[in-house]
């Protein structure tokens, strides 16, 4: 139990240090409150829509189109937004580790999906930035 | 001379001290792991890994007709030629257990080397000790614990980084890099056994394909030329196994692959577990008394869970940080993409992008082979995450103070040590009794070796049937071991004896044949006729097969009573004495089931071989005295026909009428069912040659000598029917032709028969024929592979000589 507690605390400390090495405004070059609010809003909107579609219309054309458009939008966002996606992806990954260790598996899965989507979004925007932004 | 040598060695040691110590540590760690893995047993084998028992006893079998399968089959396992077969041939002086240890150690060590080369190439850094945590993580992570000694998995996990390393080198090289192109081609030949599992081997091309995509702006005409040369050379030297494999999938198993009733695990698991390399369908499952993976609970301890995520987190953190320099930027972007692609593929049809996978699975031809995505794609994810983990350690090393970087390195090593504990300590090796699952630490009983020698000496080129009916995953009652995916008789007689058995229920012709035998086994006369029809010369009764956990199998006493009605026991091997039975684990909680073992086995031999009387057995090639024609004849229908007194042992059974023109009308009779008065078939007597002799030149070629042939006769050949089996004869002096395909029939429900018209062969009564498996003519394709093998070996030696004392 004590070992577990030490590991959790160490994990939280290391995670926070890594995710927030400097003020958000410096990293994102935008207003930190705006960045946080916008990302939370987008995450909620995106995840709710995705869950709604998955539950009500799994494997439907709408779901495929939604995802395709999402990916396209993600890929068209510029470099600075890649950082935003990466940060959100890492925060979600960090959160999923905590939730999973607390046996909240469903919430961990939701965060895993979000983390994956954000990381893919970040990758695509960075890929666009490095290769397609001619 | 010795002084100079000592001087050279001294300077070499000083300049490479860190690397030498690093490799020695890795070797020591792997040797210790190997010792734990084997646990003092001779062999490590079981389940699908039963093939390790073939080591040391297998010979090179370069034939496109695979005699390992019942009735033979068009080969799709030719890639195995450079696997166990080659090792056994090259090292006949080594025993199977020694060879197995060398192979497992060699493949894991090769994986270490490949990872080090790839990590150094991608990072541009030379840090030896920084590689230790990621190497250990890659080799002993949760995914690696699932199948700790599977040959194909080990070979694949070494080949994947090797292939990627040379591909990137060739791509990034400023010059035309011929040596590396040859080396990668050589590796493709050495690793060709992995292609016996196409779903695994195909994934080797995924990382290079993504590399091209991420770097497509760098593709110049010069790079394109190199890649085309690589692709062309790869194709030429691998055509020898690629061609039969494609041929097989296109002709035989295409429909099997696309069947809906195969086990699929595309939606099993959860993404959060996949992130930390967990997600196999049986991870939390149980069988009988034990969990499949008892150590799965270890990974669910809160501390271990956080530490497993810590490595993943650090890797993704490294991947998503700003990087200085174009090369590092591209490397990080590539590895991030590879991790995400790996994760997408591992997730299969699940959220969030699973519908793409499902679309591919449903509609893309051949994609159905990826019905268990976790096991096929996890290595890609593990490799990319491990490389990112290494890059994280490199950046720590470059940026932080000496003290801090040492602390971080030790912390990372400690974290890895916690994460890899189950795999390193071989928790994935089954070492307990669990019903039909037995320990994977195996000692082969001596009676199987005795039977193996008997079979090689007396049954070579023949076909035997085994009883009781073997099912996939059966257990044998050995003191140490054994569970197997296939019948052990095939392992101990391969490839000289053809063993008729059907461990899988797939509706195959061998399954019909085996089922048919158990239907007729109660009645002596049809049973021996039935065995003759199948080309079987004897039956091996395996009393050590544990019938208690196989619903298809009868117990030894019942089987023996049935077999003795029409077969005579020729020879027995082993004995279940009181002392021997005491040594066999028998842990069933039900006392009745437990006691049954002793009651049914005490005093009985372990193996008994029953021979079909010579006068009742049929040769592999013979001229039938009568043909029985029944519409839609199959082996399922055979028992009913054989029960009729009019049918004889040498009759040939066809489902279509043969265009006989000579001397047949007067010798026809109708076979009528004794119960329903229904006409079941028509029997027509045939004239036969005065003498027929044949000789097996190799499994794909037989010479047949006919003397005193009638004008028209049938020739039966009791190998599985295949259109590539041809019979050639001399039509006129100097002109050899094959019998027309319209006169090539499916006989006895599985075999070949040809209608020979003497007039088509010069009208002479004495003829020499050759029966040949035509596809074997393409075996010359192996020569480019051998040529590249020799050529590149020379190149490697030359380059080693010019780089004396350099690692």
């Amino acid at each position: 139990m004590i070992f577990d507690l030490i590991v959790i605390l160490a994990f939280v400390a290391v995670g926070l240090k890594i995710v927030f090495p400097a003020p958000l405004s410096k990293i994102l070059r935008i207003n930190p409150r705006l960045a946080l609010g916008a990302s939370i809003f987008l995450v909620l909107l995106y995840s709710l829509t995705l869950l709604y579609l998955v539950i009500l219309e799994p494997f439907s054309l709408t779901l495929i189109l939604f995802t395709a458009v999402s990916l396209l939008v993600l890929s068209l966002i510029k470099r600075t937004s890649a950082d935003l996606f990466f940060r959100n992806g890492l925060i979600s990954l960090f959160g999923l580790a905590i939730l999973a260790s607390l046996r909240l598996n469903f919430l961990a899965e939701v965060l895993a999906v979000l983390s994956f989507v954000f990381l893919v979004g970040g990758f695509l925007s960075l890929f666009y930035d490095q290769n397609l932004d001619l | 001379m010795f002084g100079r040598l000592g001087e050279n060695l001294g300077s070499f040691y000083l300049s490479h001290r860190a690397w030498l110590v690093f490799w020695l540590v890795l070797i020591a760690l792997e040797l210790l792991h190997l010792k734990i893995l084997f646990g003092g047993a001779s062999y490590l084998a079981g389940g699908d890994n039963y093939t390790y028992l073939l080591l040391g006893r297998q010979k090179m079998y370069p034939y496109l007709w695979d005699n390992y399968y019942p009735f033979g089959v068009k080969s799709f396992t030719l890639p195995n030629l450079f696997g166990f077969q080659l090792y056994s041939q090259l090292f006949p002086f080594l025993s199977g257990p020694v060879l197995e240890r060398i192979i497992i150690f060699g493949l894991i060590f090769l994986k270490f080397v490949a990872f080090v080369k790839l990590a150094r190439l991608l990072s541009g850094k030379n840090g030896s000790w920084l590689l230790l945590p990621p190497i250990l993580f890659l080799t002993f992570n949760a995914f690696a614990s699932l199948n700790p000694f599977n040959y194909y998995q080990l070979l694949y996990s070494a080949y994947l980084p090797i292939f990627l390393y040379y591909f990137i080198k060739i791509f990034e090289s400023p010059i035309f890099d011929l040596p590396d192109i040859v080396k990668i081609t050589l590796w493709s030949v050495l690793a060709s056994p992995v292609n016996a599992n196409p779903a695994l081997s195909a994934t080797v091309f995924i990382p290079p394909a993504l590399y091209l995509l991420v770097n497509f702006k760098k593709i110049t005409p010069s790079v394109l030329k190199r890649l085309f040369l690589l692709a062309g050379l790869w194709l030429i030297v691998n055509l020898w196994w690629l061609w039969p494999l494609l041929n097989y999938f296109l002709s035989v198993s295409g429909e099997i692959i696309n069947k809906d009733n195969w086990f699929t695990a595309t939606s099993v698991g959860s993404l959060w577990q996949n992130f930390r390399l967990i997600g196999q369908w049986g991870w939390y499952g149980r069988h009988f008394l034990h969990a499949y993976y008892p150590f799965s609970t270890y990974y669910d301890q809160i501390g271990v869970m956080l530490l497993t995520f810590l490595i993943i987190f650090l890797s993704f953190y490294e991947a998503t940080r700003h990087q200085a320099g174009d090369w590092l930027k591209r490397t990080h972007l590539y590895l991030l993409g590879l991790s995400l692609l790996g994760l997408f593929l591992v997730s299969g049809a699940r959220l969030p992008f699973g519908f793409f996978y499902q679309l591919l699975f449903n509609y893309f031809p051949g994609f159905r082979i990826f019905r268990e995505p976790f096991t096929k794609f996890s290595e890609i994810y593990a490799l990319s995450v491990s490389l990112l983990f290494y890059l994280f350690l490199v950046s720590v090393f470059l940026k932080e103070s000496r003290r801090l970087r040492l602390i971080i390195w030790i912390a990372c090593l400690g974290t890895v040590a916690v994460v890899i504990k189950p795999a390193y300590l071989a928790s994935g090796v089954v070492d307990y009794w669990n019903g039909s699952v037995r320990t994977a630490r195996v000692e082969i009983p001596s009676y199987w070796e005795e039977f193996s020698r008997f079979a090689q000496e007396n049954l070579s080129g023949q076909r035997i049937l085994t009883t009781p009916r073997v099912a996939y995953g059966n257990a044998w009652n050995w003191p140490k071991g054994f569970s197997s995916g296939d019948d052990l008789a095939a392992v101990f007689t391969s490839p000289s004896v053809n063993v008729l058995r059907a461990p899988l229920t797939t509706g195959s012709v061998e399954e019909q044949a085996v089922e048919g035998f158990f239907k007729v086994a109660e009645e002596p006369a049809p049973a021996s006729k039935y065995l003759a029809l199948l080309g079987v010369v004897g039956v091996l009764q395996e009393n050590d097969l544990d019938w208690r956990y196989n619903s298809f199998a009868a117990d030894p006493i019942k089987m023996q009573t049935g077999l003795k009605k029409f077969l005579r026991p020729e020879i027995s091997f082993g004995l279940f004495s009181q002392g021997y039975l005491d040594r066999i684990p028998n842990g069933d909680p039900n006392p009745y089931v437990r006691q049954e073992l002793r009651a049914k086995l005490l005093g009985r031999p372990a193996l008994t071989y029953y021979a079909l009387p010579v006068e009742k057995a049929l040769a592999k090639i013979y001229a039938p005295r009568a043909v029985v024609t029944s519409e839609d004849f199959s082996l399922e229908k055979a028992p009913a026909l054989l029960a009729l007194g009019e049918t004889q042992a040498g009759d040939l059974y066809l489902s279509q009428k043969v265009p006989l023109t000579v001397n047949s009308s007067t010798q026809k009779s109708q076979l009528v069912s004794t119960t329903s008065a229904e006409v079941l078939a028509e029997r027509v007597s045939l004239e036969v040659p005065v003498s027929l002799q044949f000789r097996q030149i190799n499994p794909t070629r037989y010479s047949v000598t006919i003397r005193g042939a009638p004008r028209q006769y049938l020739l039966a050949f009791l190998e599985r029917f295949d259109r590539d089996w041809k019979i050639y004869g001399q039509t006129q002096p100097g002109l050899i032709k094959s019998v027309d395909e319209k006169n090539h029939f499916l006989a006895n429900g599985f075999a070949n028969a040809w209608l020979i018209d003497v007039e088509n062969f010069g009208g002479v009564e004495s003829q020499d024929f050759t029966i040949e498996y035509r596809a074997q003519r393409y075996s010359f394709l192996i020569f480019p592979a051998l040529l590249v093998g020799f050529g590149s070996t020379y190149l490697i030696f030359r380059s080693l000589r010019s780089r004396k004392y350099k690692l």
Side-chain angles (χ1 to χ4, degrees), chain B residues 152-160 194 200 203-204 379-380:
Chain B
Y152 296 110
Q153 192 65 44
L154 290 175
L155 181 60
Y156 167 78
S157 63
Y159 181 46
L160 183 73
V194 83
L200 205 59
T203 63
V204 167
E379 191 66 29
I380 292 177

Side-chain angles (χ1 to χ4, degrees), chain A residues 4 18 67 79 83 103 109, chain B residues 271 300 302 317 322 355:
Chain A
D4 290 344
I18 289 167
T67 315
R79 167 84 206 191
D83 288 337
R103 306 281 189 272
E109 184 66 1
Chain B
L271 184 64
D300 287 347
I302 192 164
Y317 166 70
H322 282 291
F355 40 82

Side-chain angles (χ1 to χ4, degrees), chain A residues 11 14-15 18 90 93, chain B residues 307-321 332 385 388-393 395-396 408 411-412 415:
Chain A
F11 194 79
V14 172
I18 289 167
L90 287 178
L93 186 56
Chain B
L307 291 178
T308 51
F309 274 116
L310 180 62
I311 294 172
I312 305 301
F313 187 85
L314 294 176
S315 305
F316 277 107
Y317 166 70
E318 176 62 27
T320 54
R321 280 186 329 132
H332 280 70
V385 164
L388 284 168
F389 186 34
Y390 170 66
L391 292 178
F392 167 79
L393 289 171
S395 61
V396 166
I408 291 176
C412 284
T415 302

Side-chain angles (χ1 to χ4, degrees), chain A residues 67-80:
Chain A
T67 315
V69 171
S70 308
L71 288 172
L72 192 67
V73 171
L74 291 178
S75 68
L76 292 176
I77 297 171
K78 295 278 181 179
R79 167 84 206 191
T80 45

Side-chain angles (χ1 to χ4, degrees), chain B residues 572-735:
Chain B
S572 293
F573 305 90
L575 179 71
F576 284 109
S577 63
Q578 186 77 39
Y580 189 73
L581 278 168
D582 287 342
R583 288 169 52 209
I584 296 173
N586 183 21
D588 201 289
N590 182 338
Y592 173 74
V593 178
R594 218 166 44 236
Q595 286 155 15
E596 209 186 358
L597 187 76
R598 192 170 298 268
K600 298 279 167 65
L601 289 182
L602 185 63
R604 292 186 185 282
L607 302 171
T608 304
Y609 176 71
Y610 296 82
L612 192 66
V614 179
E615 66 279 7
K616 290 184 178 171
L618 284 177
K620 187 178 271 184
I621 299 169
Y622 71 100
R625 292 184 177 279
V627 58
V628 177
T629 312
S630 168
E631 264 184 48
D632 55 39
F633 174 85
S634 69
L635 284 173
E636 281 172 328
K637 287 191 165 185
L641 288 174
L642 295 169
L644 302 174
E646 295 95 323
T647 55
Q648 302 297 318
D651 290 357
L652 191 76
Y653 295 82
L654 301 176
S655 58
Q656 64 185 104
K657 286 204 170 178
V658 179
L660 290 167
T661 54
V662 190
N663 292 336
S664 57
S665 58
T666 54
Q667 296 156 322
K668 278 185 187 172
S669 63
Q670 289 193 324
L671 305 183
V672 181
S673 164
T674 49
T675 51
S676 64
E678 182 194 353
V679 176
L680 295 176
E682 183 185 71
R683 185 171 185 273
V684 180
S685 299
L686 299 169
E687 289 185 80
V688 294
V690 174
S691 83
L692 184 157
Q693 289 180 319
F694 73 92
R695 188 168 65 90
Q696 178 178 329
I697 298 162
N698 65 48
T700 61
R701 201 175 171 87
Y702 297 79
S703 71
V704 185
T705 307
I706 304 277
R707 297 288 176 261
R711 288 175 64 193
Q712 204 179 33
Y713 61 97
L714 276 163
L715 200 64
F717 175 55
L718 299 182
E719 285 285 299
R720 190 188 293 256
F721 179 84
D722 192 301
R723 297 222 169 271
D724 270 345
W725 278 116
K726 299 282 179 193
I727 181 162
Y728 297 91
Q730 190 167 283
T731 53
Q732 48 183 285
L735 188 63

Side-chain angles (χ1 to χ4, degrees), chain B residues 367-620:
Chain B
F367 199 82
R368 278 188 168 243
I369 58 173
F370 301 111
R371 60 201 168 86
E372 217 185 328
F374 181 79
T375 52
K376 300 296 179 292
F377 300 113
S378 285
E379 191 66 29
I380 292 177
Y381 176 63
L383 177 65
S384 50
V385 164
S386 304
L387 286 166
L388 284 168
F389 186 34
Y390 170 66
L391 292 178
F392 167 79
L393 289 171
V394 169
S395 61
V396 166
F397 184 81
L398 293 176
K399 287 175 189 166
E400 306 299 340
S401 67
R402 195 183 174 86
R403 197 170 148 197
L404 186 60
R405 66 194 190 203
L406 184 67
I407 291 170
I408 291 176
W409 183 83
I410 290 171
C412 284
L413 193 62
T415 302
V416 168
V418 172
V419 172
I420 67 169
K421 185 188 148 202
Y424 188 78
L425 297 182
S427 308
V429 177
V430 175
D431 195 21
Y432 43 76
W433 188 99
N434 192 23
S436 61
V437 179
R438 306 288 159 88
T439 175
R441 293 178 173 132
V442 175
E443 302 289 345
I444 299 173
S446 57
Y447 57 79
W448 270 106
E449 300 287 5
E450 288 163 21
F451 168 72
S452 178
R453 281 193 291 277
F454 165 78
Q456 305 290 346
E457 285 165 15
N458 300 287
L459 302 172
S460 190
Q462 313 270 25
R463 177 171 300 134
I464 62 168
L465 186 140
T466 55
T467 60
R469 192 190 189 300
V470 175
Y472 178 81
N474 257 153
W476 275 258
N477 284 311
W478 292 3
K480 283 192 175 177
F482 180 72
S483 306
S484 174
D486 201 354
D487 192 342
L488 284 176
V491 172
F492 287 99
T493 60
S494 169
S496 56
V497 182
N498 187 243
V499 178
L500 182 51
R501 80 281 183 198
L504 292 172
T505 50
T506 55
S508 60
V509 70
E510 54 267 33
E511 190 188 357
Q512 289 176 22
V514 172
E515 288 298 327
F517 173 72
F518 288 106
K519 269 185 203 161
V520 298
E522 294 299 313
E523 301 293 329
S528 44
K529 275 195 274 184
Y530 187 75
L531 287 179
L533 174 150
L534 298 173
V536 168
V537 300
V539 175
L540 177 72
Q541 165 66 16
E542 299 175 27
N543 284 335
D544 61 347
L545 189 143
D546 204 332
W547 72 96
R548 297 173 299 169
Y549 305 96
N550 174 354
S551 53
F552 301 109
D555 68 63
I557 297 176
K558 198 175 168 191
M559 273 318 309
Q560 189 178 324
T561 314
L563 290 173
K564 275 187 171 170
K565 287 180 185 169
F566 61 100
L567 295 169
R568 57 179 172 78
E570 186 172 309
I571 186 166
S572 293
F573 305 90
L575 179 71
F576 284 109
S577 63
Q578 186 77 39
Y580 189 73
L581 278 168
D582 287 342
R583 288 169 52 209
I584 296 173
N586 183 21
D588 201 289
N590 182 338
Y592 173 74
V593 178
R594 218 166 44 236
Q595 286 155 15
E596 209 186 358
L597 187 76
R598 192 170 298 268
K600 298 279 167 65
L601 289 182
L602 185 63
R604 292 186 185 282
L607 302 171
T608 304
Y609 176 71
Y610 296 82
L612 192 66
V614 179
E615 66 279 7
K616 290 184 178 171
L618 284 177
K620 187 178 271 184

Side-chain angles (χ1 to χ4, degrees), chain A residues 4 8 11 18-19 54 67 79 83 86 90 94 96-97 100-101 103 105 109 112-113 116 119 123 127 130-131, chain B residues 213-214 217 270-272 300 302-303 305-306 309-310 313-314 317 320 322 333 336-337 340 351-353 355:
Chain A
D4 290 344
I8 290 175
F11 194 79
I18 289 167
V19 178
V54 167
T67 315
R79 167 84 206 191
D83 288 337
F86 285 149
L90 287 178
F94 180 74
L96 100 83
S101 64
R103 306 281 189 272
N105 292 357
E109 184 66 1
V113 169
F116 190 35
L119 289 169
F123 169 78
F127 177 72
Q130 282 193 15
N131 290 289
Chain B
L213 187 71
V214 170
K217 271 174 87 174
S270 47
L271 184 64
W272 71 270
D300 287 347
I302 192 164
M305 193 178 273
L306 286 172
F309 274 116
L310 180 62
F313 187 85
L314 294 176
Y317 166 70
T320 54
H322 282 291
L333 183 68
L336 173 65
L340 296 173
L351 280 173
F353 304 117
F355 40 82

